[in-house]
Amino acid sequence: MEFKLTRFAPTPSGFLHLGNLYSFLITKALADKTGAQILLRIDDLDRDRYRPEYVQDIFDTLDFMEIGFNMGPKNLHEFEQEWSQIHRMNTYMEALDEIRDRKLVFACDCTRKKIQQLDSSGYYLGHCQVRNIPLERNETCWRMDTFDTDFIKVNTYSEGIKSYTLPEDSAFFIVRKKDKLPAYQLTSVLDDVTYGVDLIVRGNDLFGSTLGQLILAQGLELDSFQQATFHHHPLLKGPKNKKLSKSEGATSIQFLRNEGKNPADVYRILGEMLGANEPIKNFEEFKGFLVL
């Protein structure tokens, strides 16, 4: 298989950890194998968690690990001036208008506490769908109406076209937040369409997001996203089989750099976490370990 463009899409909400690096390396390995170029696309629309030092850490990590990319900003200044999602806000807002006009969403004013009270699972199960709350009421979000969603077709890298149903924890996802700003599911789809991404590499934890985004793309008739190929990889787990977190500094690349580790040390640590029988010292050995 051959592809035109894949992407790294980190969120500057903390310092990158080994799990982020693992995903970058899988993306790069697939790009090398399929001829795809790589876009660096930083998802920075969550301004409450945005910090310039987190963006700088993305560049520092890619430089430290000698991971190149073909498109996107080369430094913090270039990112903020030209590539921030803030510069694409008109595109997002136009899409929200279209979503409203196509009657794809309903308004919801539920708090997290209320959602937990309504269902002990903590999943939002469409409580506000029949309440007919005006979409422009303050302190409401817009949720995608996924009640009648049928099987969702996903073009997978390893198994071809597969059909899935939307899990409960991904149903009725938010496309506009209570602050009236577009939500991640919408901006991610539109950015991939804008830049022409046709190979999307993600962790298994984002599989529900992929299904939701395909529903959204269908509603907006975004054919290129529906035709994109997806590869969902296993997550890199930390001690006690826990998912890595940006709040746990010991697995951050910055922490390892400050400890005096070099790229070969980082590859060795990754190899040990992945259960490799032989030490992994560089990217070529990492690619050889993967089954892609």
Side-chain angles (χ1 to χ4, degrees):
M1 284 186 283
E2 293 186 357
F3 297 98
K4 294 180 180 178
L5 187 66
T6 186
R7 81 290 201 275
F8 303 143
T11 302
S13 57
F15 295 112
L16 295 181
H17 55 61
L18 287 166
N20 302 122
L21 175 61
Y22 176 55
S23 191
F24 288 172
L25 293 171
I26 292 176
T27 305
K28 179 171 170 53
L30 277 171
D32 286 357
K33 183 175 181 178
T34 63
Q37 294 203 319
I38 300 173
L39 162 73
L40 174 60
R41 198 201 80 199
I42 300 173
D43 291 347
D44 69 317
L45 214 53
D46 185 350
R47 303 311 289 182
D48 290 338
R49 301 173 70 191
Y50 175 86
R51 299 288 184 275
E53 57 265 33
Y54 296 153
V55 178
Q56 184 60 50
D57 180 64
I58 294 168
F59 295 112
D60 292 344
T61 297
L62 293 171
D63 183 59
F64 174 69
M65 295 301 298
E66 299 179 351
I67 302 173
F69 55 94
N70 307 98
M71 293 174 56
K74 298 298 187 289
N75 53 57
L76 173 61
H77 176 76
E78 196 172 299
F79 167 71
E80 292 187 333
Q81 293 299 311
E82 301 175 35
W83 292 87
S84 168
Q85 288 183 308
I86 290 172
H87 303 304
R88 298 190 289 281
M89 189 63 74
N90 285 344
T91 299
Y92 307 144
M93 300 310 288
E94 287 170 5
L96 284 172
D97 288 342
E98 188 172 350
I99 285 170
R100 180 195 60 216
D101 294 344
R102 290 181 180 232
K103 298 180 170 56
L104 301 176
V105 292
F106 60 88
C108 167
D109 60 5
C110 293
T111 62
R112 288 185 180 180
K113 182 178 180 180
K114 183 176 180 180
I115 292 170
Q116 186 71 45
Q117 289 172 342
L118 289 168
D119 192 280
S120 59
S121 69
Y123 302 153
Y124 179 82
L125 301 180
H127 170 70
C128 297
Q129 187 188 19
V130 295
R131 294 178 61 204
N132 296 319
I133 301 171
L135 287 173
E136 296 308 326
R137 180 180 293 177
N138 287 333
E139 292 302 309
T140 61
C141 66
W142 291 3
R143 290 183 179 272
M144 196 76 178
D145 186 352
T146 61
F147 183 77
D148 292 323
T149 299
D150 203 347
F151 286 99
I152 306 154
K153 291 184 177 179
V154 183
N155 191 7
T156 72
Y157 174 78
S158 57
E159 299 180 280
I161 296 176
K162 303 270 287 184
S163 293
Y164 300 91
T165 56
L166 189 67
E168 284 189 337
D169 63 351
S170 301
F172 306 111
F173 56 89
I174 295 172
V175 296
R176 195 186 82 165
K177 299 181 292 183
K178 287 186 177 181
D179 59 9
K180 299 186 178 182
L181 290 176
Y184 163 76
Q185 305 289 28
L186 176 65
T187 61
S188 183
V189 170
L190 292 176
D191 285 353
D192 284 334
V193 170
T194 296
Y195 292 113
V197 172
D198 59 353
L199 174 61
I200 298 171
V201 181
R202 290 175 164 157
N204 282 336
D205 59 327
L206 291 178
F207 187 72
S209 289
T210 292
L211 297 179
Q213 289 175 12
L214 284 166
I215 292 170
L216 183 56
Q218 183 178 20
L220 290 173
E221 299 181 12
L222 300 173
D223 293 340
S224 65
F225 190 87
Q226 295 180 77
Q227 293 164 8
T229 295
F230 294 84
H231 178 67
H232 296 86
H233 59 78
L235 299 185
L236 190 69
K237 298 293 183 69
K240 299 181 181 178
N241 207 34
K242 279 182 58 180
K243 178 182 173 182
L244 299 182
S245 166
K246 286 180 179 176
S247 64
E248 295 171 2
T251 61
S252 78
I253 311 303
Q254 185 197 62
F255 176 84
L256 295 172
R257 288 201 310 268
N258 292 339
E259 287 283 293
K261 298 290 191 288
N262 59 37
D265 295 325
V266 176
Y267 277 112
R268 177 184 54 76
I269 295 168
L270 277 175
E272 291 173 355
M273 295 177 75
L274 292 168
N277 292 325
E278 300 291 332
I280 294 176
K281 301 183 291 295
N282 53 49
F283 179 63
E284 291 303 315
E285 292 181 0
F286 177 84
K287 278 201 300 186
F289 173 78
L290 295 176
V291 178
L292 295 173

